[in-house]
Amino acid sequence: MQTKVQLDNLNVHFGKTHAVKGVSLEFPANSVTAIIGPSGCGKSTVLRSLNRMHDLVPAARVTGRILLDNDDIYERGVDPVGIRRRIGMVFQKPNPFPAMSIHDNVLAGYKLLGRLNRTTADEIVESSLKRVALWDEVKDRLKTNAMELSGGQQQRLCIARTIAVQPEVILMDEPCSALDPIATLKIEELIDELKEQYTVIIVTHNMQQAARVSDYTAFFYMGEMVECGTTKMIFTTPEQRQTEDYITGRFG
Amino acid sequence: MTFSSPFRSVKNLLMTLLMVAATIAVLTPLGIIFLHILKMGASSLSLDFFTQIPKPTGETGGGMANGLFGSAVMIVMAGCIGLPVGVLGAVYLTEFGGSRRATIIRFSADVLAGIPSIITGMVAYTLLVVPMKGFSALAGAVSLALIMIPIVLRTTEEQLKLVPGTLREASLALGVPLWRTTLKVTLASARTGIITGVLLAIARIAGETAPLLFTALGNQFWSRKLTEPMAALPLQIFNFAIAPYEDWHRLAWAGALVLVGIMFTLNLAARYFGRQKRYS
Ligand SMILES: Nc1ncnc2c1ncn2[C@@H]1O[C@H](COP(=O)(O)OP(=O)(O)OP(=O)(O)O)[C@@H](O)[C@H]1O
Ligand SMILES: [Mg+2]
């Protein structure tokens, strides 16, 4: 088992708030790792440090190391833009670009960079939309506005947009929390397929979802990582009392 | 039925009448101004107005072609200064600004917006006219730009704030650099709102007279040099209206009508852009 991303004593401060406290954790390649824990425990903060989104928050300070294929992404001289190309992100609320068509949304990563190659464009659109199982639903209306899709379709479009630029790692922050059960199921199936090609890290509030889609699970509490391991182990024989309480819903 | 009921309807009627009266009080002056300008201006307006320059004293006829041209030149120049400075300032405030510095800039913009325009003209006079040893279109444009900057800055800032943060993040997460995200996502989403603000700012400076008195000065003749005094529509209206000749008064009215027409069109255009539907 090869490690794709590794956190080494990661600390994140927002001004005086110590949001993530000395977390060390490994994310194995070509697998799905779920991050679970109660609200405010720092899940999103960990996820956003992985693609250097905190660079834009003046109050945020990230220390420690995050290794992507053994290279520290926070090392001096590393371009965050290059990191974000390799580590894509899907957000909680579907956020397609409202002024763009479905077609253009898939290609947004190329269009916004001004690096669109017209000969391969349609190919990229088709293969990306097929990967997220959206192609059949939209192939006849690729030129319509992306906002006309349903929430679940929009979220799959956002995933298509992310994989269109061929990242290595995909971060997902509660990608199904705005969706109904059927749309959720579709995304979960998709996540399962994505791991063949990508390393997936997903934050979720839904225990069943974590159990269904992930291979590994890490449990966070108050900014610390309490426990991590295979999903099976975390959900059946957790070592820590806190983990067990949280998973069984006995959390106080 | 209670006794209060007749009083209630009386009160209701009274209040309604009061409000109707207030509405009329607001609309009447506007209507009077508009009708008066239309009546006085329309009869004096002719093709000559747009093609001729003012005739020497004593001769009848002539127009304000040089004033229209001068106004257009100075507005375009003011826009060339005011638009980038205002928009870039707003981008800095919303996208890059630390909170402390942003507060200072915002406050300065508000103060600048509140300064009477005659003082803006005096500033341009001291900074440009005195060192350049002469009145000039350039100085006029700068003084107009000073009026334009805070308006563009604040309206643009408001529009940029309306762009959801999730859109910026979506773009950044795709590996698009911040400056490109700002240009292609943030500014592009706020485009119609920014255009509205700019049109309103142009409408505002198109009618400014005071700052031009010390800067562009005005010119009876054609002038195409930016370093020389240049005519402007509001200046010509002012000069002609206070002159003791009946014929010049008529020209002033025609100028007023044209100016009001320009402002009216700009405001309509601003409304049109402001109303364009967009998904958020
Ligand atoms: N931009 C920010 N500025 C200041 N504090 C922040 C910021 N983002 C997060 N925090 C703080 O960091 C802590 C962790 O927040 P985070 O969003 O990571 O929690 P979470 O586990 O994702 O919660 P949820 O499940 O509700 O999404 C919280 O105390 C929060 O207030
Ligand atoms: Mg969160």
Side-chain angles (χ1 to χ4, degrees):
Chain A
M1 181 194 81
Q2 189 199 340
T3 299
K4 183 72 188 176
V5 181
Q6 185 181 350
L7 311 183
D8 182 13
N9 194 23
L10 179 74
N11 283 281
V12 183
H13 294 261
F14 292 106
K16 289 200 175 71
T17 320
H18 195 176
V20 175
K21 301 168 184 164
V23 171
S24 296
L25 182 61
E26 292 183 11
F27 299 97
N30 295 100
S31 61
V32 179
T33 304
I35 298 179
I36 60 170
S39 195
C41 70
K43 305 181 294 293
S44 299
T45 306
V46 168
L47 210 65
R48 294 163 68 84
S49 26
L50 287 172
N51 65 347
R52 295 195 52 169
M53 276 310 207
H54 296 312
D55 287 21
L56 301 158
V57 183
R61 193 159 53 84
V62 180
T63 57
R65 297 195 306 162
I66 296 181
L67 305 179
L68 173 64
D69 288 334
N70 294 319
D71 295 320
D72 188 355
I73 64 169
Y74 277 92
E75 201 167 330
R76 198 172 298 222
V78 173
D79 181 12
V81 171
I83 296 297
R84 293 187 197 125
R85 289 233 119 194
R86 295 174 64 191
I87 305 186
M89 187 161 195
V90 177
F91 297 83
Q92 178 168 359
K93 231 180 114 219
N95 56 355
F97 294 107
M100 292 187 191
S101 65
I102 296 170
H103 179 271
D104 288 358
N105 256 284
V106 179
L107 295 171
Y110 297 91
K111 289 206 135 183
L112 292 174
L113 274 176
R115 281 202 209 137
L116 186 65
N117 181 343
R118 298 208 177 276
T119 52
T120 54
D122 289 341
E123 224 171 278
I124 293 173
V125 171
E126 184 170 344
S127 67
S128 307
L129 287 174
K130 275 184 174 158
R131 289 228 56 170
V132 300
L134 194 58
W135 177 251
D136 288 330
E137 290 163 55
V138 302
K139 63 171 183 256
D140 300 323
R141 47 172 174 150
L142 290 173
K143 295 288 172 203
T144 57
N145 190 286
M147 303 309 281
E148 284 166 24
L149 297 174
S150 74
Q153 290 173 324
Q154 285 184 19
Q155 192 64 306
R156 275 181 283 154
L157 179 64
C158 291
I159 298 175
R161 171 177 78 186
T162 304
I163 61 180
V165 296
Q166 299 183 319
E168 298 159 37
V169 179
I170 300 178
L171 311 174
M172 298 187 168
D173 195 347
E174 302 181 43
C176 303
S177 62
L179 307 182
D180 68 67
I182 293 175
T184 300
L185 200 69
K186 282 203 177 135
I187 304 251
E188 286 180 3
E189 281 168 8
L190 177 60
I191 292 171
D192 202 52
E193 283 169 30
L194 287 178
K195 73 180 179 192
E196 282 170 25
Q197 209 177 334
Y198 311 97
T199 302
V200 180
I201 305 172
I202 177 173
V203 166
T204 176
H205 267 133
N206 182 329
M207 291 305 111
Q208 284 83 24
Q209 183 168 69
R212 279 195 300 261
V213 300
S214 70
D215 304 298
Y216 303 91
T217 298
F219 172 62
F220 279 67
Y221 184 60
M222 307 249 298
E224 288 177 56
M225 203 218 25
V226 176
E227 190 170 355
C228 66
T230 63
T231 300
K232 194 159 170 248
M233 180 228 130
I234 296 285
F235 277 86
T236 52
T237 54
E239 282 170 10
Q240 303 292 324
R241 182 67 196 274
Q242 276 172 326
T243 315
E244 190 181 339
D245 286 353
Y246 182 70
I247 284 163
T248 53
R250 254 185 287 138
F251 216 73
Chain B
M1 266 288 155
T2 60
F3 284 109
S4 74
S5 162
F7 288 108
R8 276 243 307 265
S9 54
V10 167
K11 235 176 21 190
N12 188 15
L13 187 70
L14 211 69
M15 284 303 168
T16 312
L17 282 177
L18 260 175
M19 277 186 287
V20 170
T23 312
I24 292 172
V26 172
L27 289 180
T28 311
L30 186 68
I32 291 175
I33 292 172
F34 222 84
L35 285 177
H36 195 64
I37 291 179
L38 202 64
K39 190 177 118 222
M40 303 298 287
S43 59
S44 330
L45 204 57
S46 63
L47 192 64
D48 279 356
F49 180 87
F50 298 98
T51 54
Q52 305 275 310
I53 65 169
K55 287 268 162 67
T57 8
E59 290 179 41
T60 51
M64 291 188 174
N66 57 343
L68 282 168
F69 172 78
S71 276
V73 166
M74 283 188 274
I75 288 170
V76 168
M77 275 167 60
C80 288
I81 306 167
L83 196 74
V85 173
V87 171
L88 286 177
V91 166
Y92 176 78
L93 282 188
T94 48
E95 313 292 315
F96 302 91
S99 54
R100 178 83 184 282
R101 242 172 304 165
T103 316
I104 296 172
I105 295 177
R106 211 169 281 129
F107 180 72
S108 319
D110 285 346
V111 172
L112 194 56
I115 289 178
S117 57
I118 190 138
I119 295 179
T120 313
M122 283 163 68
V123 170
Y125 176 83
T126 332
L127 291 181
L128 284 164
V129 175
V130 173
M132 287 172 71
K133 300 197 172 56
F135 298 100
S136 67
L138 186 69
V142 168
S143 66
L144 292 182
L146 284 176
I147 296 169
M148 197 175 175
I149 288 170
I151 306 176
V152 173
L153 190 135
R154 288 312 296 257
T155 47
T156 305
E157 191 196 357
E158 291 309 315
Q159 293 303 319
L160 291 180
K161 275 203 235 153
L162 289 179
V163 179
T166 54
L167 270 191
R168 293 182 182 88
E169 291 195 332
S171 169
L172 291 168
L174 286 170
V176 180
L178 182 58
W179 68 269
R180 249 197 130 91
T181 299
T182 303
L183 203 68
K184 297 248 169 175
V185 177
T186 318
L187 279 174
S189 312
R191 192 181 50 225
T192 55
I194 295 173
I195 293 175
T196 306
V198 169
L199 287 174
L200 289 176
I202 290 177
R204 163 82 196 279
I205 62 169
E208 281 294 346
T209 319
L212 297 178
L213 288 172
F214 309 105
T215 52
L217 189 66
N219 197 327
Q220 287 289 86
F221 308 101
W222 279 108
S223 159
R224 291 186 184 79
K225 286 221 184 89
L226 300 180
T227 48
E228 284 177 2
M230 194 181 263
L233 191 56
L235 277 179
Q236 272 179 340
I237 296 171
F238 174 68
N239 286 330
F240 280 48
I242 56 173
Y245 314 108
E246 194 54 38
D247 201 46
W248 282 26
H249 290 172
R250 294 187 339 113
L251 264 183
W253 280 113
L257 180 62
V258 170
L259 189 58
V260 169
I262 291 171
M263 312 258 268
F264 193 69
T265 315
L266 282 170
N267 274 284
L268 272 186
R271 275 192 73 88
Y272 167 77
F273 278 106
R275 267 173 166 206
Q276 271 188 354
K277 242 192 107 63
R278 65 169 189 216
Y279 300 92
S280 67

